[in-house]
């Protein structure tokens, strides 16, 4: 994993993932900076529908259809 200063949004730090319940498989974890890239947004196709995930100026995420 790259150092924080190598990511597009070095001010954002990933929170530790909560532990899965006993017997459950851990969910995939992807750093938002890596997912959103330098543009701060990504388009996701889910069940033939297009969604846009973007970071706001306040550092929050918004998913729109």
């Amino acid at each position: 994993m790259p150092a924080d200063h190598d990511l597009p949004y070095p001010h954002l730090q990933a929170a530790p993932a909560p532990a899965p319940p006993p017997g459950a498989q851990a969910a995939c974890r992807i750093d938002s900076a890596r997912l959103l890239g330098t543009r701060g947004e990504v388009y996701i196709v889910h069940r033939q529908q297009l969604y846009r995930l973007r970071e706001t100026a306040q550092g929050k995420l918004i998913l729109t259809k």
Side-chain angles (χ1 to χ4, degrees):
M1 180 166 217
D4 286 342
H5 63 274
D6 293 334
L7 297 174
Y9 303 98
H11 62 284
L12 299 178
Q13 296 181 5
Q25 187 176 25
C28 178
R29 182 176 171 179
I30 301 171
D31 187 271
S32 64
R34 186 171 290 230
L35 180 66
L36 300 174
T38 57
R39 292 187 50 138
E41 68 180 357
V42 65
Y43 288 91
I44 302 166
V45 177
H46 175 68
R47 297 185 180 192
Q48 292 82 42
Q49 297 290 317
L50 185 64
Y51 293 83
R52 178 182 177 215
L53 178 66
R54 68 179 178 90
E55 181 183 9
T56 69
Q58 294 79 28
K60 298 185 181 204
L61 295 176
I62 295 182
L63 179 65
T64 54
K65 190 170 180 185

